[in-house]
Amino acid sequence: MGEQTQTPTPSLSQSQPSPDSNLVSTNPPVNIPQNPSNPSKIPIRPQKIRKLSSTPDQKTLQPTNSSQSVVTITKNRRRGSSQSTKAFPQIIKPLSANGEIENALRHLRLADPLLGSLIDTLPFPAFESHQLPFLALCKSILYQQLAYKAGTSIYMRFISLCGGEDAVCPDVVLSLSAQQLKQIGVSGRKASYLYDLANKYKTGILSDDTVVKMDDRSLFTMLSMVKGIGSWSVHMFMIFSLHRPDVLPVSDLGVRKGVKMLHGLEELPRPSEMEQMCEKWRPYRSVGAWYMWRFIEGKGTPTTAAVVMEGGRVQPLQQIEHQQEAQQHQLQLLEPINGIGSLGACIWGQ
């Protein structure tokens, strides 16, 4: 009992370590987090501070410098990604390339059995036009809302006025006066369309080289900026002049009628429904559209803005009835106001 009452109680001064003990035990705070009996304590912050302050290699890692280095790395990564995108443009293989039609038919047969059975009964498609883009776009403007004979007559006079097909270029078109164009049958509105196209070529916004190399989305956006060229005209140009493999003209009544008959639908599919139903045709939706035109033509159904088939070759419809044209606009409302004329007939690929 006496020994227990005389047991010394440690004082505050005795519980504090002496300076000498600090010199001997150099890492007491580091061992604190390893104590499982005190998980709720917060010795982590001193530990991190001690590590940063005690490690020679990490003394140079100032907070401001580290944040700057992170920003620099992020910027460099972004620059590198954009540069790599520019350095490796999308390579577009046209349908006129050797073996591409065969690849398209092989894919479409496997992807869509309904279309596959149609392919076996219809002629082999061909995409053989090799006109320069500027000439083909001028041609599409001249043929808008005209019968085949009238459009051909005006186009031939236009070519003669320019000095031949090889002479048709932006400078020559801009040198023609509105009066000269009017004398050969080109309306004032169509003349303004030709001038706008030529000016965009003249200023470098468009060129034959960039048009050929642009991806489909960029090309659609850029050509839609030209007065008188709407979505349908762009789609036809991409299919029949550039032979782009994956173009689905959702605003074309002939293609929509073909999809309707192929799937036994009661109503014409809307453009959004066309996108969904024809998704399986990727990346050869242009060939699928070609077969829809051929399918409709074989059934004797008139197409509003589609094509006339001649021996397996595809050409846009030569003459369009105004009633059918109005029906397509009422159904789709996809063409801009300044591009309504693009629903007229034009000869692609001749």
Side-chain angles (χ1 to χ4, degrees), residues 134-135 138-139 142 152-164 168-169 172-173 176 181 184 186 194:
F134 181 76
L135 176 60
C138 288
K139 195 174 187 180
L142 292 172
T152 301
S153 177
I154 292 176
Y155 175 72
M156 296 306 296
R157 278 180 258 166
F158 172 77
I159 293 301
S160 177
L161 189 63
C162 292
V168 178
C169 65
V172 171
V173 172
L176 302 176
L181 292 173
I184 64 173
V186 179
L194 292 172

PDB file of all heavy atoms in Angstrom, residues 134-135 138-139 142 152-164 168-169 172-173 176 181 184 186 194:
ATOM      1  N   PHE A 134     -15.155  22.517-110.061  1.00  0.00           N
ATOM      2  CA  PHE A 134     -15.732  23.823-110.382  1.00  0.00           C
ATOM      3  C   PHE A 134     -16.675  23.717-111.576  1.00  0.00           C
ATOM      4  O   PHE A 134     -17.775  24.289-111.567  1.00  0.00           O
ATOM      5  CB  PHE A 134     -14.621  24.835-110.677  1.00  0.00           C
ATOM      6  CG  PHE A 134     -15.133  26.214-110.989  1.00  0.00           C
ATOM      7  CD1 PHE A 134     -15.589  27.039-109.971  1.00  0.00           C
ATOM      8  CD2 PHE A 134     -15.165  26.692-112.294  1.00  0.00           C
ATOM      9  CE1 PHE A 134     -16.069  28.309-110.251  1.00  0.00           C
ATOM     10  CE2 PHE A 134     -15.640  27.952-112.584  1.00  0.00           C
ATOM     11  CZ  PHE A 134     -16.096  28.771-111.557  1.00  0.00           C
ATOM     12  N   LEU A 135     -16.271  23.005-112.607  1.00  0.00           N
ATOM     13  CA  LEU A 135     -17.122  22.830-113.775  1.00  0.00           C
ATOM     14  C   LEU A 135     -18.400  22.083-113.411  1.00  0.00           C
ATOM     15  O   LEU A 135     -19.495  22.438-113.853  1.00  0.00           O
ATOM     16  CB  LEU A 135     -16.362  22.083-114.877  1.00  0.00           C
ATOM     17  CG  LEU A 135     -17.152  21.723-116.139  1.00  0.00           C
ATOM     18  CD1 LEU A 135     -17.680  22.982-116.819  1.00  0.00           C
ATOM     19  CD2 LEU A 135     -16.293  20.899-117.086  1.00  0.00           C
ATOM     20  N   CYS A 138     -20.761  24.433-111.564  1.00  0.00           N
ATOM     21  CA  CYS A 138     -21.383  25.367-112.513  1.00  0.00           C
ATOM     22  C   CYS A 138     -22.486  24.669-113.300  1.00  0.00           C
ATOM     23  O   CYS A 138     -23.572  25.229-113.525  1.00  0.00           O
ATOM     24  CB  CYS A 138     -20.332  25.916-113.477  1.00  0.00           C
ATOM     25  SG  CYS A 138     -19.165  27.085-112.748  1.00  0.00           S
ATOM     26  N   LYS A 139     -22.217  23.451-113.683  1.00  0.00           N
ATOM     27  CA  LYS A 139     -23.193  22.679-114.459  1.00  0.00           C
ATOM     28  C   LYS A 139     -24.463  22.425-113.658  1.00  0.00           C
ATOM     29  O   LYS A 139     -25.581  22.531-114.175  1.00  0.00           O
ATOM     30  CB  LYS A 139     -22.541  21.363-114.873  1.00  0.00           C
ATOM     31  CG  LYS A 139     -23.259  20.607-115.962  1.00  0.00           C
ATOM     32  CD  LYS A 139     -22.419  19.406-116.377  1.00  0.00           C
ATOM     33  CE  LYS A 139     -23.003  18.701-117.577  1.00  0.00           C
ATOM     34  NZ  LYS A 139     -22.178  17.538-117.974  1.00  0.00           N
ATOM     35  N   LEU A 142     -26.551  25.595-113.630  1.00  0.00           N
ATOM     36  CA  LEU A 142     -27.184  25.901-114.915  1.00  0.00           C
ATOM     37  C   LEU A 142     -28.387  25.005-115.201  1.00  0.00           C
ATOM     38  O   LEU A 142     -29.332  25.411-115.862  1.00  0.00           O
ATOM     39  CB  LEU A 142     -26.154  25.769-116.039  1.00  0.00           C
ATOM     40  CG  LEU A 142     -25.036  26.817-116.041  1.00  0.00           C
ATOM     41  CD1 LEU A 142     -23.972  26.465-117.071  1.00  0.00           C
ATOM     42  CD2 LEU A 142     -25.600  28.207-116.314  1.00  0.00           C
ATOM     43  N   THR A 152     -29.449  21.411-121.363  1.00  0.00           N
ATOM     44  CA  THR A 152     -28.313  21.066-122.215  1.00  0.00           C
ATOM     45  C   THR A 152     -27.999  22.190-123.193  1.00  0.00           C
ATOM     46  O   THR A 152     -26.830  22.525-123.438  1.00  0.00           O
ATOM     47  CB  THR A 152     -28.614  19.772-122.993  1.00  0.00           C
ATOM     48  OG1 THR A 152     -28.879  18.719-122.069  1.00  0.00           O
ATOM     49  CG2 THR A 152     -27.442  19.389-123.876  1.00  0.00           C
ATOM     50  N   SER A 153     -29.034  22.807-123.733  1.00  0.00           N
ATOM     51  CA  SER A 153     -28.837  23.910-124.674  1.00  0.00           C
ATOM     52  C   SER A 153     -28.114  25.084-124.009  1.00  0.00           C
ATOM     53  O   SER A 153     -27.149  25.637-124.555  1.00  0.00           O
ATOM     54  CB  SER A 153     -30.193  24.359-125.233  1.00  0.00           C
ATOM     55  OG  SER A 153     -30.040  25.470-126.089  1.00  0.00           O
ATOM     56  N   ILE A 154     -28.564  25.450-122.821  1.00  0.00           N
ATOM     57  CA  ILE A 154     -27.935  26.567-122.104  1.00  0.00           C
ATOM     58  C   ILE A 154     -26.511  26.212-121.692  1.00  0.00           C
ATOM     59  O   ILE A 154     -25.587  27.037-121.790  1.00  0.00           O
ATOM     60  CB  ILE A 154     -28.780  26.950-120.877  1.00  0.00           C
ATOM     61  CG1 ILE A 154     -30.099  27.546-121.327  1.00  0.00           C
ATOM     62  CG2 ILE A 154     -28.033  27.921-119.980  1.00  0.00           C
ATOM     63  CD1 ILE A 154     -31.050  27.871-120.202  1.00  0.00           C
ATOM     64  N   TYR A 155     -26.317  24.975-121.254  1.00  0.00           N
ATOM     65  CA  TYR A 155     -24.973  24.563-120.832  1.00  0.00           C
ATOM     66  C   TYR A 155     -23.994  24.608-122.002  1.00  0.00           C
ATOM     67  O   TYR A 155     -22.860  25.086-121.856  1.00  0.00           O
ATOM     68  CB  TYR A 155     -25.032  23.157-120.239  1.00  0.00           C
ATOM     69  CG  TYR A 155     -23.672  22.609-119.878  1.00  0.00           C
ATOM     70  CD1 TYR A 155     -22.973  23.112-118.788  1.00  0.00           C
ATOM     71  CD2 TYR A 155     -23.083  21.591-120.630  1.00  0.00           C
ATOM     72  CE1 TYR A 155     -21.713  22.617-118.450  1.00  0.00           C
ATOM     73  CE2 TYR A 155     -21.830  21.093-120.301  1.00  0.00           C
ATOM     74  CZ  TYR A 155     -21.160  21.610-119.220  1.00  0.00           C
ATOM     75  OH  TYR A 155     -19.918  21.130-118.893  1.00  0.00           O
ATOM     76  N   MET A 156     -24.398  24.154-123.170  1.00  0.00           N
ATOM     77  CA  MET A 156     -23.515  24.160-124.335  1.00  0.00           C
ATOM     78  C   MET A 156     -23.179  25.587-124.755  1.00  0.00           C
ATOM     79  O   MET A 156     -22.046  25.900-125.138  1.00  0.00           O
ATOM     80  CB  MET A 156     -24.159  23.400-125.494  1.00  0.00           C
ATOM     81  CG  MET A 156     -24.370  21.909-125.211  1.00  0.00           C
ATOM     82  SD  MET A 156     -22.863  21.055-124.690  1.00  0.00           S
ATOM     83  CE  MET A 156     -21.847  21.234-126.164  1.00  0.00           C
ATOM     84  N   ARG A 157     -24.158  26.494-124.659  1.00  0.00           N
ATOM     85  CA  ARG A 157     -23.889  27.890-124.976  1.00  0.00           C
ATOM     86  C   ARG A 157     -22.944  28.515-123.952  1.00  0.00           C
ATOM     87  O   ARG A 157     -22.098  29.340-124.298  1.00  0.00           O
ATOM     88  CB  ARG A 157     -25.210  28.671-125.035  1.00  0.00           C
ATOM     89  CG  ARG A 157     -25.937  28.527-126.366  1.00  0.00           C
ATOM     90  CD  ARG A 157     -27.217  29.327-126.344  1.00  0.00           C
ATOM     91  NE  ARG A 157     -28.365  28.444-126.135  1.00  0.00           N
ATOM     92  CZ  ARG A 157     -29.573  28.867-125.800  1.00  0.00           C
ATOM     93  NH1 ARG A 157     -29.791  30.147-125.618  1.00  0.00           N
ATOM     94  NH2 ARG A 157     -30.548  28.011-125.660  1.00  0.00           N
ATOM     95  N   PHE A 158     -23.103  28.127-122.704  1.00  0.00           N
ATOM     96  CA  PHE A 158     -22.216  28.617-121.649  1.00  0.00           C
ATOM     97  C   PHE A 158     -20.780  28.149-121.902  1.00  0.00           C
ATOM     98  O   PHE A 158     -19.828  28.925-121.763  1.00  0.00           O
ATOM     99  CB  PHE A 158     -22.722  28.122-120.293  1.00  0.00           C
ATOM    100  CG  PHE A 158     -21.799  28.397-119.146  1.00  0.00           C
ATOM    101  CD1 PHE A 158     -21.720  29.662-118.592  1.00  0.00           C
ATOM    102  CD2 PHE A 158     -21.001  27.383-118.610  1.00  0.00           C
ATOM    103  CE1 PHE A 158     -20.863  29.922-117.525  1.00  0.00           C
ATOM    104  CE2 PHE A 158     -20.155  27.629-117.552  1.00  0.00           C
ATOM    105  CZ  PHE A 158     -20.082  28.896-117.011  1.00  0.00           C
ATOM    106  N   ILE A 159     -20.620  26.883-122.266  1.00  0.00           N
ATOM    107  CA  ILE A 159     -19.298  26.341-122.555  1.00  0.00           C
ATOM    108  C   ILE A 159     -18.673  27.078-123.741  1.00  0.00           C
ATOM    109  O   ILE A 159     -17.481  27.434-123.728  1.00  0.00           O
ATOM    110  CB  ILE A 159     -19.390  24.830-122.843  1.00  0.00           C
ATOM    111  CG1 ILE A 159     -19.788  24.070-121.574  1.00  0.00           C
ATOM    112  CG2 ILE A 159     -18.064  24.302-123.372  1.00  0.00           C
ATOM    113  CD1 ILE A 159     -18.852  24.248-120.411  1.00  0.00           C
ATOM    114  N   SER A 160     -19.464  27.330-124.757  1.00  0.00           N
ATOM    115  CA  SER A 160     -18.961  28.046-125.918  1.00  0.00           C
ATOM    116  C   SER A 160     -18.554  29.469-125.559  1.00  0.00           C
ATOM    117  O   SER A 160     -17.529  29.984-126.039  1.00  0.00           O
ATOM    118  CB  SER A 160     -20.032  28.061-127.015  1.00  0.00           C
ATOM    119  OG  SER A 160     -19.602  28.811-128.141  1.00  0.00           O
ATOM    120  N   LEU A 161     -19.337  30.108-124.706  1.00  0.00           N
ATOM    121  CA  LEU A 161     -19.031  31.477-124.280  1.00  0.00           C
ATOM    122  C   LEU A 161     -17.724  31.540-123.490  1.00  0.00           C
ATOM    123  O   LEU A 161     -16.968  32.515-123.595  1.00  0.00           O
ATOM    124  CB  LEU A 161     -20.189  32.020-123.440  1.00  0.00           C
ATOM    125  CG  LEU A 161     -20.164  33.508-123.062  1.00  0.00           C
ATOM    126  CD1 LEU A 161     -20.228  34.364-124.318  1.00  0.00           C
ATOM    127  CD2 LEU A 161     -21.331  33.823-122.133  1.00  0.00           C
ATOM    128  N   CYS A 162     -17.465  30.482-122.718  1.00  0.00           N
ATOM    129  CA  CYS A 162     -16.229  30.429-121.926  1.00  0.00           C
ATOM    130  C   CYS A 162     -15.020  30.007-122.749  1.00  0.00           C
ATOM    131  O   CYS A 162     -13.875  30.211-122.319  1.00  0.00           O
ATOM    132  CB  CYS A 162     -16.394  29.467-120.752  1.00  0.00           C
ATOM    133  SG  CYS A 162     -17.558  30.020-119.484  1.00  0.00           S
ATOM    134  N   GLY A 163     -15.247  29.397-123.928  1.00  0.00           N
ATOM    135  CA  GLY A 163     -14.140  28.941-124.753  1.00  0.00           C
ATOM    136  C   GLY A 163     -13.860  27.463-124.626  1.00  0.00           C
ATOM    137  O   GLY A 163     -12.738  27.024-124.903  1.00  0.00           O
ATOM    138  N   GLY A 164     -14.850  26.689-124.194  1.00  0.00           N
ATOM    139  CA  GLY A 164     -14.675  25.248-124.040  1.00  0.00           C
ATOM    140  C   GLY A 164     -14.692  24.826-122.575  1.00  0.00           C
ATOM    141  O   GLY A 164     -14.503  25.652-121.671  1.00  0.00           O
ATOM    142  N   VAL A 168     -13.293  26.711-118.565  1.00  0.00           N
ATOM    143  CA  VAL A 168     -14.185  27.168-117.505  1.00  0.00           C
ATOM    144  C   VAL A 168     -13.415  27.233-116.189  1.00  0.00           C
ATOM    145  O   VAL A 168     -12.951  26.218-115.674  1.00  0.00           O
ATOM    146  CB  VAL A 168     -15.405  26.236-117.361  1.00  0.00           C
ATOM    147  CG1 VAL A 168     -16.296  26.699-116.210  1.00  0.00           C
ATOM    148  CG2 VAL A 168     -16.195  26.202-118.654  1.00  0.00           C
ATOM    149  N   CYS A 169     -13.263  28.442-115.672  1.00  0.00           N
ATOM    150  CA  CYS A 169     -12.545  28.660-114.414  1.00  0.00           C
ATOM    151  C   CYS A 169     -13.132  29.907-113.756  1.00  0.00           C
ATOM    152  O   CYS A 169     -13.885  30.655-114.381  1.00  0.00           O
ATOM    153  CB  CYS A 169     -11.050  28.817-114.662  1.00  0.00           C
ATOM    154  SG  CYS A 169     -10.612  30.282-115.614  1.00  0.00           S
ATOM    155  N   VAL A 172     -12.683  33.307-115.694  1.00  0.00           N
ATOM    156  CA  VAL A 172     -13.475  33.408-116.915  1.00  0.00           C
ATOM    157  C   VAL A 172     -14.938  33.673-116.573  1.00  0.00           C
ATOM    158  O   VAL A 172     -15.602  34.507-117.208  1.00  0.00           O
ATOM    159  CB  VAL A 172     -13.324  32.134-117.766  1.00  0.00           C
ATOM    160  CG1 VAL A 172     -14.316  32.135-118.917  1.00  0.00           C
ATOM    161  CG2 VAL A 172     -11.899  32.008-118.286  1.00  0.00           C
ATOM    162  N   VAL A 173     -15.471  32.981-115.574  1.00  0.00           N
ATOM    163  CA  VAL A 173     -16.874  33.182-115.193  1.00  0.00           C
ATOM    164  C   VAL A 173     -17.089  34.606-114.693  1.00  0.00           C
ATOM    165  O   VAL A 173     -18.083  35.266-115.033  1.00  0.00           O
ATOM    166  CB  VAL A 173     -17.289  32.153-114.121  1.00  0.00           C
ATOM    167  CG1 VAL A 173     -18.680  32.474-113.569  1.00  0.00           C
ATOM    168  CG2 VAL A 173     -17.280  30.744-114.704  1.00  0.00           C
ATOM    169  N   LEU A 176     -17.498  37.287-117.380  1.00  0.00           N
ATOM    170  CA  LEU A 176     -18.750  37.337-118.141  1.00  0.00           C
ATOM    171  C   LEU A 176     -19.720  38.309-117.480  1.00  0.00           C
ATOM    172  O   LEU A 176     -19.894  38.295-116.254  1.00  0.00           O
ATOM    173  CB  LEU A 176     -19.383  35.948-118.216  1.00  0.00           C
ATOM    174  CG  LEU A 176     -18.527  34.836-118.852  1.00  0.00           C
ATOM    175  CD1 LEU A 176     -19.260  33.507-118.764  1.00  0.00           C
ATOM    176  CD2 LEU A 176     -18.182  35.169-120.299  1.00  0.00           C
ATOM    177  N   LEU A 181     -24.622  36.490-120.020  1.00  0.00           N
ATOM    178  CA  LEU A 181     -25.255  35.279-119.517  1.00  0.00           C
ATOM    179  C   LEU A 181     -26.748  35.281-119.828  1.00  0.00           C
ATOM    180  O   LEU A 181     -27.336  34.237-120.137  1.00  0.00           O
ATOM    181  CB  LEU A 181     -25.019  35.149-118.012  1.00  0.00           C
ATOM    182  CG  LEU A 181     -23.567  34.876-117.584  1.00  0.00           C
ATOM    183  CD1 LEU A 181     -23.432  34.942-116.074  1.00  0.00           C
ATOM    184  CD2 LEU A 181     -23.105  33.521-118.107  1.00  0.00           C
ATOM    185  N   ILE A 184     -27.627  34.017-123.323  1.00  0.00           N
ATOM    186  CA  ILE A 184     -27.583  32.575-123.582  1.00  0.00           C
ATOM    187  C   ILE A 184     -28.630  31.824-122.764  1.00  0.00           C
ATOM    188  O   ILE A 184     -28.660  30.594-122.756  1.00  0.00           O
ATOM    189  CB  ILE A 184     -26.185  31.991-123.300  1.00  0.00           C
ATOM    190  CG1 ILE A 184     -25.824  32.123-121.815  1.00  0.00           C
ATOM    191  CG2 ILE A 184     -25.140  32.643-124.181  1.00  0.00           C
ATOM    192  CD1 ILE A 184     -24.535  31.405-121.435  1.00  0.00           C
ATOM    193  N   VAL A 186     -29.323  32.327-119.278  1.00  0.00           N
ATOM    194  CA  VAL A 186     -29.077  32.215-117.835  1.00  0.00           C
ATOM    195  C   VAL A 186     -29.779  33.370-117.134  1.00  0.00           C
ATOM    196  O   VAL A 186     -29.527  34.547-117.452  1.00  0.00           O
ATOM    197  CB  VAL A 186     -27.568  32.241-117.529  1.00  0.00           C
ATOM    198  CG1 VAL A 186     -27.332  32.136-116.020  1.00  0.00           C
ATOM    199  CG2 VAL A 186     -26.862  31.113-118.262  1.00  0.00           C
ATOM    200  N   LEU A 194     -23.592  31.764-110.020  1.00  0.00           N
ATOM    201  CA  LEU A 194     -22.302  31.488-110.668  1.00  0.00           C
ATOM    202  C   LEU A 194     -21.224  32.448-110.172  1.00  0.00           C
ATOM    203  O   LEU A 194     -20.090  32.041-109.907  1.00  0.00           O
ATOM    204  CB  LEU A 194     -22.446  31.594-112.190  1.00  0.00           C
ATOM    205  CG  LEU A 194     -23.305  30.526-112.869  1.00  0.00           C
ATOM    206  CD1 LEU A 194     -23.513  30.877-114.351  1.00  0.00           C
ATOM    207  CD2 LEU A 194     -22.665  29.148-112.748  1.00  0.00           C
TER     208      LEU A 194
END
